[in-house]
Amino acid sequence: YPVGKVDGDGHLESSDPIKGKVEKPKSVITYVYKEVKEEPSKPKGEVIITYVDENGKELQKPRQDTPNSPYDTPYDTTEEGEKPNTIKTPDGKTYKIVPKGDYPVGKVDGDGHLESSDPIKGKVEKPKSVITYVYKEVKEEPSTPTGNVYVHYVDEFGNTLKNSVTDEYAQPVGKYYDTVIDNRPNTIITPDGKIYVLVPAGNYAVGKVDVDGHLTTTDSATGQVIKGDKNVTYVYKLVKTPTPNVPVDPTPEKPVDPTPNKPVDPTPNKPVDPTPEKPVDPTPNKPVDPTPVNPTPEQPAKPAPALEQLPNTGEAQSVATGVLGAIAGLAGLATLGRRKKEDEK
């Protein structure tokens, strides 16, 4: 350098060493510098989107599309969410982006962009770029009003018998309804088993009832849906109460025959034999001896004397005949002996 040679430490070599020992009254070490001229920084800018109505009134807060960025930074304000087709304001109004045309706020192109504002796409080239979209209020047509029809079921005293039913729900005003055909049962059976039927026309504790069983103080049984609710009520009366549970008699009104499978006497009004279990005479139509018979103990049969088996010579018959004759003779002698003794007496 003009000042002299400088080493890698920026040290002017002609000056004293940067390290060493003190060896003279004054040592001078010199470092050499040069001026650095700083380059100027690039300018920066931001991009803002605004939303106004046809008269230039702001509809919602501005949106920052591009934060503070160097010039030449590209931007695009047509990206999703940056240019909505519809805006709803806090007061409940709805605005829609305007078509191309001239408006009080100025000329608008086919993108709904106010041409007097900055381009909707481009590069940052100034401190603040503002892109404006224009909207107009949309008058929403009121929706068709609707209504409901509900049907209720009570007894003569107004007590509810079953859950209410919906005959019509969210139907257009003016639609015809008929609860008589659709939701009017003739009979209702409650969970406890009671049976109710529609009452005839007349005055009841709950009020006046017409021929349809309809409580006339409620909405009409047939008609047209109105905006809101209609409530139709039908009235019923109790006709049957369930019999409480009673123990079952196995043979009501008839005593139980203790003898199972007892034969039935086919002869009606036949006198009953007072003698139980009398033996049946096996001989039909035989006169019954009225004199009771004294039972004689049965004596065991006396075995007959065994006859000696003779050879089959043809004499067996004669031997048997002789034996029988001898027995008969002995019986005769015994009888004569008894008579003689009696005569002697």
Side-chain angles (χ1 to χ4, degrees), residues 256-306:
V256 178
D257 188 345
T259 306
N261 303 322
K262 182 177 180 180
V264 179
D265 189 345
T267 307
N269 301 321
K270 179 181 179 181
V272 179
D273 188 349
T275 306
E277 300 182 358
K278 181 179 179 181
V280 179
D281 189 346
T283 307
N285 301 321
K286 180 179 179 180
V288 179
D289 187 353
T291 306
V293 179
N294 292 326
T296 303
E298 184 178 355
Q299 299 294 328
K302 183 179 293 185

Side-chain angles (χ1 to χ4, degrees), residues 19-282:
K19 296 179 181 180
K21 293 181 178 180
V22 176
E23 55 185 12
K24 57 181 179 180
K26 183 178 181 180
S27 297
V28 178
I29 299 96
T30 303
Y31 288 99
V32 182
Y33 294 80
K34 67 178 180 179
E35 182 182 3
V36 177
K37 294 183 178 180
E38 294 183 0
E39 296 181 2
S41 60
K42 293 183 179 180
K44 296 180 179 180
E46 62 177 344
V47 178
I48 302 296
I49 307 172
T50 61
Y51 308 91
V52 300
D53 67 7
E54 301 163 280
N55 299 305
K57 179 183 176 181
E58 186 179 81
L59 299 178
Q60 68 178 27
K61 292 181 179 181
R63 176 187 179 117
Q64 188 180 57
D65 175 80
T66 305
N68 202 29
S69 301
Y71 282 12
D72 291 332
T73 300
Y75 70 86
D76 183 351
T77 64
T78 64
E79 294 173 340
E80 185 177 358
E82 294 186 325
K83 191 191 78 170
N85 289 323
T86 303
I87 292 176
K88 288 191 175 182
T89 56
D91 57 1
K93 294 181 180 180
T94 302
Y95 292 81
K96 187 176 181 180
I97 198 164
V98 297
K100 182 178 180 180
D102 291 325
Y103 298 90
V105 70
K107 191 174 182 179
V108 177
D109 63 21
D111 290 315
H113 162 244
L114 183 62
E115 292 184 357
S116 60
S117 66
D118 291 308
I120 59 177
K121 297 179 182 179
K123 292 182 178 181
V124 176
E125 55 185 16
K126 57 183 179 180
K128 185 175 183 180
S129 299
V130 178
I131 295 90
T132 301
Y133 290 107
V134 182
Y135 294 78
K136 67 177 179 179
E137 185 179 0
V138 178
K139 302 288 185 181
E140 294 184 355
E141 295 182 2
S143 60
T144 304
T146 60
N148 312 304
V149 178
Y150 301 103
V151 185
H152 312 281
Y153 308 92
V154 301
D155 65 9
E156 302 163 274
F157 306 99
N159 300 310
T160 299
L161 298 179
K162 61 174 291 189
N163 292 334
S164 301
V165 299
T166 302
D167 187 77
E168 301 287 351
Y169 179 74
Q171 295 301 312
V173 169
K175 180 185 177 183
Y176 181 77
Y177 70 87
D178 188 339
T179 64
V180 176
I181 294 176
D182 298 335
N183 287 297
R184 189 201 65 169
N186 291 321
T187 303
I188 292 177
I189 300 176
T190 56
D192 57 2
K194 294 180 181 179
I195 301 175
Y196 292 79
V197 296
L198 276 168
V199 298
N203 292 314
Y204 299 88
V206 70
K208 187 177 180 180
V209 177
D210 62 20
V211 293
D212 291 320
H214 161 245
L215 183 61
T216 58
T217 55
T218 64
D219 291 309
S220 58
T222 62
Q224 292 180 314
V225 173
I226 63 170
K227 184 178 180 180
D229 296 339
K230 273 192 172 185
N231 290 278
V232 181
T233 299
Y234 288 105
V235 182
Y236 295 76
K237 65 178 179 179
L238 178 67
V239 294
K240 185 176 180 181
T241 303
T243 304
N245 294 331
V246 177
V248 179
D249 185 345
T251 52
E253 302 180 0
K254 183 178 180 181
V256 178
D257 188 345
T259 306
N261 303 322
K262 182 177 180 180
V264 179
D265 189 345
T267 307
N269 301 321
K270 179 181 179 181
V272 179
D273 188 349
T275 306
E277 300 182 358
K278 181 179 179 181
V280 179
D281 189 346

Side-chain angles (χ1 to χ4, degrees), residues 336-345:
L336 290 175
R338 267 195 320 272
R339 289 179 179 176
K340 185 177 179 179
K341 289 180 179 181
E342 291 175 357
D343 292 339
E344 288 177 356
K345 290 178 180 181

